[in-house]
Amino acid sequence: MSITANWSYPTAIRFGAGRISEIADACAAAGIKKPLLVTDRGLADMAITTKTLDLLEAAGLGRAIFADVDPNPNEKNAEAGVKAFREGGHDGVVAFGGGSGLDLGKLVAFYAGQTRPLWDFEDIGDWWTRADADAIAPIVAVPTTAGTGSEVGRASVITNSVTAEKKIIFHPKFLPSVVICDPELTVGMPKFITAGTGLDAFAHCVEAFCSPHYHPMSQGIALEGMRLVKEYLPRAYADGTDIEARANMMSAAAMGATAFQKGLGAIHALSHPIGAIYHTHHGTTNAVCMPAVLQFNKPAIAERMEMAANYIGITGGFDGFCSYVDDLNASLGIPKTLSDLGIENPDIDRIVAGALIDPSTGGNPIEMTAENTKELLLKIA
C-alpha cells in the first residue's frame, strides 16, 4: 500500500516521503510570495531546515527565518516574531518544526495584523471574533515531529511568561491553508523526542475518546489513532529510519489533533501548568500523568476503554489497557513521577490552581475539583 496521498480533511495535506520538495508550490497555493519561516532554535541550523530554505530561495521566495522560539513559546517570542514579520515585509508564514515552532509560527501569522493585546484573543467564549480576520496572514505548516498535530489545529498554546500559565489563542484561520507531512523530516528525531511526541499523540487520542462531549467523527478518528500509535510508535522508537513507522506516526499525530476537537481532559489540564512552571517536555509530561488520570477517571470510562482495548488488540479490558500504558511508558524510557522528571518538591497548590482554569478541564469525564485534583497530582509527584 502506498503511503503517499493528498487529503483535504481537515485541511489540504500533502502527505508522503520527499514532499518537502513541494514547499514552493504549497506557498503559491496559499498565496504566499514572501514567506517567513518560523521554527525553534534547535532546528534553525539543521539540514532539514537548510534544505527547506534552499528550496524557498531557489523558487524566488526569499530566505527568511525566525528561530527565537522557546520550547514552551511565550508572548515575548510572539512579539519578536511579529517584529521580524513586519520589518521583513512578509505576507505569510511557513510554520516549521514541532509543537513550539508550529504554534509560534501560526501565532505570528495571526497576530502580525492585529492591534489588540494578545491575551484578548484567548479561547474564551467568542473572544476570537475580536480579531480582524482579513489581517490574518496565510500559513503553510510543516511538522518535523509526530506528536502535537498543531499543523491541523485552529489554535496555538502560548505561555504567559509573567504568570507562568499556558493560554490557548484561538481563531478558525489559525488552521494552515496547506500542510506538508513528510515523514523523512522526522527521521533525525532523538529517541526521547520520538517517545515524548508519540505519546503526546496517544494522549490526544485517549482523552478525545474519553471526553463526554458528542462528536462521533472525532470518536472514530481517536480510536484509529490509538491503534496506529500502538502499532508504529515502538517501531519508530527502535529504528528511526523506518519510514513506514514514521509516516503512520505522522498520521496519528494529525488524527489526535483532529479528534481533540471533542475535548481533552485531566492529562492536559495537569500537563499545561506543569510545563509552564517547570519547562518540561509537553508530551513526556502527558505520559507521566496518563496512568494516574486513567485510574482517576475509571468510574466514567472503564466500559468505553474496554471497547478501545478490544479494537486495538489489548486483552483484559480497562485494567489491561492501563497495564499496556504502563508497559509502553516503561519501554520508551518515560519517568514514572514528576520527581523522576526532574521536578523536586513541586508547588502542588500552584499546579492545581492552573489545572482548574485550563480549558482542558472541561473535557474531563469526571468533574475536577480542588480536592480531587490535588489528590490526583500527589499520586504522580
Side-chain angles (χ1 to χ4, degrees):
M1 180 180 66
S2 172
I3 47 176
T4 300
N6 295 328
W7 298 327
S8 57
Y9 176 75
T11 189
I13 301 174
R14 304 182 184 203
F15 192 100
R19 298 198 70 174
I20 190 61
S21 64
E22 301 174 30
I23 184 65
D25 187 63
C27 286
I32 301 173
K33 297 180 180 179
K34 193 175 182 182
L36 176 65
L37 187 146
V38 178
T39 191
D40 62 67
R41 297 185 189 93
L43 277 170
D45 297 321
M46 291 187 65
I48 56 174
T49 311
T50 301
K51 176 183 177 180
T52 304
L53 289 168
D54 289 344
L55 290 165
L56 291 170
E57 186 175 35
L61 299 178
R63 190 185 187 89
I65 181 172
F66 175 79
D68 188 13
V69 180
D70 292 322
N72 290 295
N74 56 49
E75 81 285 356
K76 295 178 181 178
N77 301 150
E79 291 166 3
V82 165
K83 184 173 184 289
F85 184 93
R86 291 173 175 169
E87 291 182 351
H90 299 288
D91 62 353
V93 166
V94 173
F96 188 93
S100 56
L102 294 172
D103 275 8
L104 203 282
K106 288 160 54 181
L107 188 72
V108 167
F110 165 78
Y111 194 47
Q114 307 303 320
T115 57
R116 298 181 68 132
L118 178 62
W119 308 123
D120 280 5
F121 305 109
E122 189 177 349
D123 188 16
I124 297 174
D126 65 353
W127 285 16
W128 64 272
T129 62
R130 297 170 170 177
D132 180 354
D134 293 335
I136 301 172
I139 304 161
V140 171
V142 183
T144 63
T145 65
T148 69
S150 183
E151 66 273 11
V152 295
R154 299 171 298 165
S156 289
V157 179
I158 303 297
T159 299
N160 184 321
S161 64
V162 177
T163 64
E165 295 174 344
K166 286 195 175 184
K167 301 289 188 179
I168 296 175
I169 310 299
F170 167 84
H171 193 280
K173 289 185 72 172
F174 267 79
L175 184 66
S177 301
V178 184
V179 176
I180 293 179
C181 283
D182 183 344
E184 290 182 350
L185 301 180
T186 69
V187 165
M189 275 197 296
K191 281 183 175 289
F192 80 95
I193 297 294
T194 297
T197 54
L199 289 169
D200 190 22
F202 190 64
H204 292 160
C205 293
V206 169
E207 290 211 286
F209 192 75
C210 292
S211 167
H213 303 308
Y214 180 75
H215 200 317
M217 289 182 289
S218 287
Q219 197 76 346
I221 292 169
L223 188 60
E224 176 64 3
M226 281 188 266
R227 188 192 70 80
L228 290 179
V229 173
K230 177 178 181 289
E231 184 168 348
Y232 291 104
L233 179 54
R235 281 177 50 178
Y237 183 80
D239 178 8
T241 66
D242 184 337
I243 289 296
E244 182 183 20
R246 291 294 196 189
N248 278 285
M249 284 306 302
M250 289 198 98
S251 290
M255 292 166 73
T258 302
F260 73 58
Q261 293 181 38
K262 182 172 177 282
L264 292 170
I267 294 173
H268 279 77
L270 291 173
S271 180
H272 283 155
I274 291 168
I277 297 167
Y278 300 105
H279 310 293
T280 55
H281 183 267
H282 173 65
T284 305
T285 310
N286 281 343
V288 172
C289 295
M290 187 181 299
V293 172
L294 286 171
Q295 293 298 329
F296 175 83
N297 285 322
K298 181 177 180 178
I301 67 171
E303 184 176 349
R304 179 171 296 185
M305 294 314 294
E306 182 175 357
M307 291 189 295
N310 290 337
Y311 178 77
I312 66 177
I314 295 171
T315 60
F318 175 82
D319 292 336
F321 186 90
C322 292
S323 294
Y324 163 75
V325 170
D326 290 339
D327 292 343
L328 179 63
N329 278 0
S331 72
L332 300 176
I334 299 299
K336 289 188 175 182
T337 65
L338 296 182
S339 178
D340 294 338
L341 194 58
I343 303 173
E344 299 291 343
N345 301 314
D347 189 334
I348 300 295
D349 291 336
R350 189 178 180 191
I351 296 171
V352 169
L356 293 178
I357 63 172
D358 191 277
S360 303
T361 305
N364 202 63
I366 291 178
E367 182 182 1
M368 296 175 68
T369 65
E371 183 178 359
N372 65 21
T373 303
K374 185 172 184 177
E375 291 175 359
L376 171 59
L377 186 58
L378 287 170
K379 292 179 180 178
I380 63 173

